[in-house]
Amino acid sequence: MRKTIVASVAILAVAATLASCGSSSRGGVFNRARPDEMAVSRAQPLVVPPDFALTTPKPGAARPQEVDASTQALQAMFGGPSARSAAETGAIDQAGGARAQAGIRSEAGDPGTTVVDKGSTTRDIVAAPVGDGQGARATTPN
């Protein structure tokens, strides 16, 4: 008797599973809307815009719409140059910013550039070994 009940429950489960695969009054799986492959339309023809005032490109010149990646990154991060404040403009004017030489940064590291000797302390600081400071010692002069 028990085997008969188990078998009938199994048959009902299989029948219910198979019944859900068929079509129903709501449309079912096989009656869904599909795109019509025969309903293809033609694309509109290309037209030349009426603005003929464009300048012709010069051979070898850089394209105006092309910007290198580093410039694009700087524009994205910082938004381009901003106006200087009154305090910043005043400080630059007092320092002689209008009289600065064009290549001064290149000349600063030149061996022929005259520099002021700051003494051995500055040389020691600049020549200090790189590290986390674990081996640092302090001495007091006598």
Side-chain angles (χ1 to χ4, degrees), residues 23-134:
S23 63
S24 65
S25 61
R26 294 183 303 225
V29 177
F30 300 110
N31 293 333
R32 67 177 187 262
R34 292 183 195 87
D36 186 11
E37 62 271 2
M38 296 300 177
V40 177
S41 63
R42 290 189 160 266
Q44 294 293 327
L46 297 175
V47 281
V48 177
D51 184 17
F52 296 109
L54 299 174
T55 58
T56 58
K58 304 216 178 341
R63 300 177 77 179
Q65 67 270 21
E66 289 182 2
V67 180
D68 61 334
S70 63
T71 305
Q72 286 179 349
L74 287 173
Q75 284 287 81
M77 289 190 301
F78 302 113
S82 61
R84 291 189 170 126
S85 66
E88 185 179 5
T89 305
I92 290 173
D93 289 342
Q94 287 180 357
R99 298 182 310 248
Q101 297 174 3
I104 192 65
R105 292 184 180 180
S106 301
E107 294 176 13
D110 186 25
T113 303
T114 306
V115 294
V116 176
D117 186 14
K118 297 287 185 177
S120 63
T121 306
T122 305
R123 279 195 304 271
D124 292 343
I125 292 171
V126 171
V130 177
D132 57 359
Q134 293 294 327

Side-chain angles (χ1 to χ4, degrees), residues 3-29:
K3 289 183 182 181
T4 309
I5 293 174
V6 172
S8 62
V9 169
I11 290 173
L12 285 174
V14 170
T17 304
L18 289 176
S20 66
C21 292
S23 63
S24 65
S25 61
R26 294 183 303 225
V29 177

